[in-house]
């Protein structure tokens, strides 16, 4: 089966993708994407500025048809971030093409499809290489879990440069055949005014929907409300259930592994739990020394997993460096419990230096490095503080010459991306350090 199988039903005049600026039928999308494919055939790797528009759908589809790996770049990526992604990946910007071309032969399943840049605890973001086979396996497993079919209309307004908005939110419909309506932004009002059978959101989106009863009630006719990318607070789960008449389906994933655990369309939905492993995925818990822990629903351990949806590796010096596995298992960096019935509860992350804000993963080190580029800043420490809207709020503590916090916030937003900016900057006389000189972030408050 081809990666974007439903797209090849080219006779289908039905609308495939709709955005506030217009709509494309499957036939039109295939035609335009073939033009892109012809214009980049043989290129080693291309980059696309992933604005939430049809042009992004066309460009990514064209690259995938051509078998050219594609790097989506956040449209608001600042100067540093954009330069890093382009230099590190070696990708050339894909220019819009109005040409035409034949449908290329399907590239091998093992070929790389996407390179998604994501933050680690330190340093600049790393390019995660995902194969066509991994994406296909994940979408098929999700289709089975959510009873997702060509009869569905998916609605979301998530960014098109991450797994959630791009892989699930665009490639999903193009493989499965459902229609997609992208609302440009994931606002309660946009979701409420857009008819659909499935809605995707990060917890911040659902929290804002639950706080807007009229918008939430408008989603009652939907078949599935799906939440992921960060923990969904139980009060939001309960609020949505009360207002829409249905509990949200939670699922858990990572850029490196795609989506691996989920509640099922036809099954139980439990607040605080992310479900059971998808078809083909195995999970386990280990302690610090690697000893395998029991699945008793109480023991907390490091979550590891195996399966066909894992990354090929990270881009590194012109090649792909495989991820470090532990006896063949991928260490997620999350801590969790697993019940005897297979239900997973994600307790948190092992490292406090990976922050989840509004569903975006942000490395504390990357924000600290950006702050240190400001001439007034001498030391910087960044943490995620609990926040009812964003989950975590990026908060910076800096030792600096006199400077306005707003200037430092704008400085980071300009160089990285708007969502990586600290929401608060505290100027302090010194940072708490241990005997080794390492900042004791637990003491920052
Ligand atoms: C304000 N703005 C600024 C500044 N202050 N811009 C620059 N400098 C400043 N100092 C502007 C922004 O540009 C933006 O403008 C506006 O303020 C709002 O930005 P912000 O406050 O950051 O937005 P928000 O309202 O807090 O956003 C909430 C959100 C967003 C919409 C929920 O966080 C979001 O889209 N999250 C989705 C994340 C996601 O898709 N994650 C998936 C990765 P303007 O609005 O005009 O542009 S996770 C994943 O892929 C895995 C596999 C998984 O499990 O799913
Ligand atoms: P990213 O690679 O940006 O998708 O970030 C992946 C991380 O998001 C995971 O390692 C988890 O920490 C977190 N995450 C994703 N989905 C969930 C979820 N449903 N519940 C809790 N955390 C989640």
């Amino acid at each position: 089966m081809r990666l974007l199988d439903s797209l090849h039903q080219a006779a289908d005049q039905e609308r495939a993708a709709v955005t506030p600026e217009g709509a494309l039928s499957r036939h039109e999308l295939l035609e335009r994407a073939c033009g892109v494919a012809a214009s980049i055939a043989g290129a080693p790797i291309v980059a696309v500025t992933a604005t939430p528009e049809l042009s992004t759908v066309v460009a990514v589809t064209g690259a995938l048809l051509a078998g050219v790996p594609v790097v989506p770049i956040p449209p608001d990526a600042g100067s540093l971030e954009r330069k890093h992604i382009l230099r590190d990946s070696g990708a050339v910007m894909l220019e819009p093409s109005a040409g035409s071309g034949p449908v290329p032969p399907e590239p091998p399943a093992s070929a790389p499809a996407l390179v998604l840049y994501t933050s680690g605890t330190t340093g600049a973001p790393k390019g995660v290489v995902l194969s066509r086979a991994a994406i296909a396996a994940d979408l098929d497993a999700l289709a089975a879990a959510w009873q997702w079919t060509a009869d569905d209309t998916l609605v979301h307004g998530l960014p098109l440069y991450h797994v959630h908005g791009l892989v699930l939110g665009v490639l999903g419909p193009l493989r499965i055949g459902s229609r997609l309506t992208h609302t440009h932004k994931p606002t309660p009002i946009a979701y409420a005014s857009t008819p659909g059978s499935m809605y995707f959101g990060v917890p911040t989106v659902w929290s804002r929907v639950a706080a807007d009863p009229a918008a939430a009630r408008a989603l009652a006719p939907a078949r599935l409300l799906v939440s992921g990318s960060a923990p969904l607070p139980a009060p939001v789960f309960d609020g949505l259930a009360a207002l829409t008449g249905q509990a949200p389906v939670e699922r858990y994933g990572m850029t490196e592994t795609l989506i691996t655990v989920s509640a099922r369309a036809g099954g139980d939905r439990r607040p605080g739990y992310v479900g059971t492993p998808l078809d083909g995925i195995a999970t386990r818990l280990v302690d610090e020394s690697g000893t395998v822990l029991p699945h008793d629903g109480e023991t907390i351990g490091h979550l590891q997993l195996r399966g066909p949806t894992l990354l090929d590796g990270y881009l590194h010096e012109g090649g792909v460096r495989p991820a470090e596995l532990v006896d063949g298992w991928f260490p997620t960096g999350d801590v969790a419990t697993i019940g005897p019935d297979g239900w997973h509860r994600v307790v948190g992350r092992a490292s406090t230096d990976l922050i989840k804000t509004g569903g975006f993963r942000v490395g504390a080190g990357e924000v600290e490095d950006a702050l240190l580029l400001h001439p007034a800043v001498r030391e910087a420490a960044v943490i995620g503080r609990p926040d009812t809207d964003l989950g975590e709020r990026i908060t910076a503590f800096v030792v600096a010459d006199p400077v306005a916090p707003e200037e430092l916030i704008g400085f980071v937003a300009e160089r990285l991306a708007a969502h990586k900016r600290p929401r608060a900057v505290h100027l302090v006389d010194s940072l708490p350090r241990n005997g080794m000189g390492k900042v004791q972030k637990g003491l920052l408050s």
Side-chain angles (χ1 to χ4, degrees):
M1 181 170 165
R2 291 183 274 207
L3 175 58
L4 305 180
D5 195 56
S6 89
L7 188 63
H8 297 275
Q9 325 298 325
D12 191 342
Q13 295 298 328
E14 211 191 325
R15 298 163 124 209
V18 181
T19 69
E21 18 127 24
L24 285 177
S25 70
R26 249 167 255 299
H27 178 75
E28 289 163 334
L29 175 55
L30 181 64
E31 207 168 63
R32 284 181 55 182
C34 283
V36 172
S39 74
I40 58 168
I45 180 165
V46 291
V48 170
T49 302
T51 52
E53 290 164 334
L54 290 171
S55 57
T56 300
V57 176
V58 170
V60 171
T61 303
L64 292 175
L65 287 176
V68 176
V70 57
V71 187
I73 301 188
D76 71 337
S79 49
L80 268 186
E81 186 160 344
R82 196 180 170 88
K83 209 184 285 173
H84 165 71
I85 294 176
L86 288 172
R87 188 183 312 130
D88 188 70
S89 64
V92 290
M93 288 306 301
L94 193 157
E95 301 299 335
S97 152
S100 61
V103 180
E106 179 72 3
S110 60
L114 294 175
V115 178
L116 300 184
Y117 275 80
T118 189
S119 301
T121 51
T122 57
K126 291 183 289 186
V128 173
V129 182
L130 296 164
S131 69
R132 304 172 76 87
I135 292 171
D138 205 49
L139 294 175
D140 291 349
L142 288 173
W146 298 342
Q147 299 169 11
W148 182 0
T149 70
D151 293 333
D152 280 302
T153 296
L154 172 64
V155 176
H156 73 90
L158 296 167
L160 299 186
Y161 47 88
H162 281 313
V163 166
H164 200 161
L166 182 62
V167 177
L168 276 61
V170 173
L171 305 187
L174 296 183
R175 181 169 178 84
I176 293 161
S178 54
R179 286 162 305 281
L180 163 66
T181 303
H182 193 276
T183 59
H184 195 81
K185 289 263 178 189
T187 57
I189 180 114
Y191 280 28
S193 57
T194 309
S197 61
M198 294 170 76
Y199 292 76
F200 287 174
V202 297
T204 300
V205 170
W206 292 124
S207 156
R208 293 176 184 183
V209 168
D212 182 341
R217 282 193 202 98
L219 302 183
R223 193 174 69 74
L224 282 189
L225 309 178
V226 185
S227 179
S229 304
L232 183 70
V236 177
F237 180 104
D238 293 337
L240 275 181
L243 289 163
T244 66
Q246 59 174 308
V249 163
E250 287 185 69
R251 93 297 179 287
Y252 160 85
M254 281 187 85
T255 305
E256 288 89 336
T257 64
L258 301 178
I259 308 310
T260 48
V261 178
S262 182
R264 300 297 191 272
D268 239 8
R269 295 166 202 183
R270 305 181 191 169
Y273 289 79
V274 294
T276 58
L278 295 179
D279 292 349
I281 304 290
T283 59
R284 69 175 193 178
L285 299 175
V286 299
D287 68 11
E288 300 294 338
S289 63
T291 304
V292 177
L293 299 171
H295 294 186
D296 57 13
E298 283 173 14
T299 308
I300 294 174
H302 295 271
L303 180 65
Q304 300 186 335
L305 42 91
R306 252 185 357 201
T309 63
L310 263 53
L311 74 169
D312 286 353
Y314 298 96
L315 276 196
H316 183 66
E317 292 177 358
V320 180
R321 177 171 48 83
E324 276 173 37
L325 300 183
V326 182
D327 306 328
W329 294 79
F330 180 85
T332 61
D334 289 308
V335 285
T337 64
I338 303 178
D341 54 2
W343 274 73
H344 289 51
R345 182 166 67 91
V346 178
V347 177
R349 285 203 66 86
S351 167
T352 53
D353 280 340
L354 271 189
I355 299 166
K356 267 273 157 160
T357 181
F360 287 113
R361 170 167 148 191
V362 181
E366 191 187 359
V367 182
E368 289 159 3
D369 290 348
L371 284 166
L372 287 167
L373 291 175
H374 191 283
V377 175
R378 282 180 274 136
E379 296 174 50
V382 167
I383 59 169
R385 274 206 173 143
D387 185 88
T388 48
D389 179 47
L390 296 171
E392 289 185 288
R393 183 171 72 249
I394 301 177
T395 307
F397 294 81
V398 298
V399 180
D401 300 332
V403 61
E406 294 69 36
E407 179 174 335
L408 297 181
I409 293 170
F411 186 83
V412 174
E414 245 172 57
R415 280 159 184 79
L416 302 180
H419 67 263
K420 293 185 177 176
R421 72 189 189 275
R423 304 288 171 137
V425 172
H426 301 290
L427 299 170
V428 293
D429 291 336
S430 63
L431 296 175
R433 294 185 184 269
N434 65 14
M436 310 287 287
K438 191 173 161 10
V439 177
Q440 294 175 290
K441 291 197 172 177
L443 298 180
L444 293 171
S445 59

